[in-house]
Amino acid sequence: MSLRIIFMGTPDFSVPTLQNLKQAGHEIVAVYTQPPRPAGRRGLDLTKSPVHQAAELLGIPVLTPLNFKAEEDRQTFRDFNADVAVVVAYGLLLPVAILEGTKLGCYNGHASLLPRWRGAAPIQRAIMAGDEKTGMIVMKMEKGLDTGPMALTKEVEITQAMTAGELHDKLMLVGARAMVEAMEKLEADDLPLTPQPEEGVLYAAKIDKAETRIDFSRSARDVHNHIRGLSPFPGAWFEVEINGKPERIKVLASAIGEGHGPAGQLLDDALTVACGEGAVRLTRLQKAGGKPLDAGDFLRGTHLPKGTTLPVGAA
C-alpha cells in the first residue's frame, strides 16, 4: 500500500523529505515548487529550485504556478486525485481550495516547536533568542499561519556553538524522517491530531537587513546568539575603517570571551570584543567579496590591534 502524494516545496531544506517519501514507496503524483528565478551575475539565467531539480531526477511532473488564484490551477491540483499533500517550505500561502483539494488534507513539516516560532524564520529566531531546543513538527494545515493541529513532534537540542546553518541541516534530515513516519501512520489511520496550545505563541518574522548589524552594546551572550543565528546567511556584520576606508566585515562564528571594557573595544590581538556585558571572541570572518577565514588567517591580512574600537551600531 502507498499514498498518492502531491509534494510542495522549494529550497534545499525540502529535498530530503521528497526523496524519503519516494524511497518509502509512496506515489508522488506531482511536485509543486516556486517558478525558476533569475540568477547569474547579470540575472539573465533562470534557475530551477532545488526541489524542481530533484523532482526531475526522480521523473516526477513539476508545476510552478505563481499562486492559486486561477480556478484552472485549483482544478489541476484537484485532478491529481491525491490522498494528501505534503508541504515543506513551499513559499506560498495556500488557499482553502488547495488545503481541501486532497482526500486527507495538507500536512506541513515546520521547523519549530509550535506554537513557538510560527512563520518564516523559525531556525534563525530560535538561535537568536537563545533557545536550548527546537524541533520538527508535522501538522495538518488550516487557513491560519502555522496554526493547525499537531500530528508528530521530534525535538532537537540547540548547542551553544550551533549556527543556523548547522541547525538547518540537522532539522532537514529529522524532518524528512518525521514526515515519512507521519505518512505511514496516516495511511494506517493512526495519526492523532492535537490542537496547539493557546499560550506561548511567538512569530518568527523574516530576517530584515536592518537587524543584521552587530550591536556590541548588548550582552556577550546576545551578541553570540545573534552571530550564530544569522550564520552563514545573511550574516551578522560590523563596519570598521581599514587603511582609511570603511569596510563591512561579516562574522560567521564566535565564542564567549573573557574580559571587559567599553562596548566595541578590542581587548586583545585575537579579536575579543568587549560587549555591554562580558566579551565575545570573533572566530570566523569574511570581508566583502572575500572568502570566509578563521580569525588567525583573517588577521594576517587585516590589521585590527588591541584597543581598536568597533562601532557599536544597532542590531
Side-chain angles (χ1 to χ4, degrees):
M1 294 288 292
S2 66
L3 293 171
R4 285 176 58 84
I5 295 175
I6 293 174
F7 185 82
M8 310 178 83
T10 297
D12 289 323
F13 189 84
S14 315
V15 172
T17 303
L18 170 62
Q19 295 171 331
N20 283 21
L21 288 170
K22 179 72 173 177
Q23 291 167 6
H26 296 292
E27 183 183 1
I28 314 299
V29 296
V31 165
Y32 280 76
T33 189
Q34 289 290 294
R37 304 296 189 194
R41 296 186 67 180
R42 297 184 179 179
L44 300 178
D45 301 321
L46 292 178
T47 299
K48 297 175 181 177
S49 76
V51 164
H52 194 147
Q53 297 175 49
E56 288 186 337
L57 289 175
L58 293 171
I60 303 170
V62 179
L63 295 92
T64 59
L66 288 173
N67 52 53
F68 288 96
K69 293 181 179 180
E71 177 57 32
E72 180 182 356
D73 289 329
R74 299 182 180 198
Q75 188 60 49
T76 296
F77 186 91
R78 291 190 289 263
D79 286 345
F80 283 112
N81 194 32
D83 294 313
V84 63
V86 169
V87 184
V88 181
Y90 178 37
L92 278 182
L93 288 175
L94 301 180
V96 173
I98 298 301
L99 296 177
E100 298 177 351
T102 64
K103 298 173 185 176
L104 301 173
C106 296
Y107 284 80
N108 175 233
H110 183 76
S112 82
L113 296 178
L114 293 169
R116 186 175 177 84
W117 303 130
R118 294 174 177 171
I123 294 175
Q124 294 93 331
R125 295 295 177 188
I127 293 180
M128 292 168 74
D131 292 1
E132 295 180 353
K133 65 179 181 179
T134 185
M136 286 297 302
I137 281 185
V138 176
M139 67 172 178
K140 188 170 185 181
M141 299 176 70
E142 56 182 32
K143 189 175 181 180
L145 178 63
D146 298 331
T147 59
M150 303 176 293
L152 200 67
T153 300
K154 301 293 182 181
E155 290 191 359
V156 170
E157 179 188 6
I158 303 176
T159 65
Q160 290 300 307
M162 185 177 279
T163 65
E166 292 165 343
L167 182 56
H168 167 283
D169 292 350
K170 188 166 188 175
L171 289 172
M172 177 172 68
L173 301 180
V174 170
R177 293 191 293 268
M179 188 61 74
V180 170
E181 181 181 343
M183 291 301 101
E184 181 181 337
K185 290 178 178 292
L186 182 65
E187 186 179 5
D189 195 24
D190 185 29
L191 188 64
L193 299 174
T194 303
Q196 291 186 35
E198 294 183 5
E199 295 183 355
V201 175
L202 279 179
Y203 286 93
K206 184 178 179 180
I207 303 297
D208 189 278
K209 289 182 179 179
E211 63 182 310
T212 56
R213 184 169 184 165
I214 301 170
D215 184 357
F216 291 108
S217 70
R218 299 170 68 186
S219 72
R221 178 61 61 187
D222 285 348
V223 171
H224 175 57
N225 292 342
H226 184 241
I227 289 168
R228 63 195 185 96
L230 296 177
S231 177
F233 182 83
W237 58 276
F238 65 88
E239 194 171 77
V240 65
E241 191 170 290
I242 300 175
N243 298 325
K245 295 182 180 179
E247 279 209 47
R248 180 176 293 195
I249 309 296
K250 185 184 292 187
V251 184
L252 300 174
S254 60
I256 299 299
E258 295 182 356
H260 57 86
Q265 186 178 82
L266 292 182
L267 301 177
D268 55 24
D269 293 321
L271 294 178
T272 300
V273 188
C275 298
E277 178 184 331
V280 66
R281 183 164 51 87
L282 312 181
T283 59
R284 191 162 178 80
L285 305 95
Q286 182 179 15
K287 286 185 179 181
K291 62 181 181 179
L293 297 171
D294 290 337
D297 293 329
F298 178 84
L299 288 170
R300 289 188 185 94
T302 304
H303 186 55
L304 287 176
K306 176 181 178 180
T308 299
T309 298
L310 308 180
V312 171

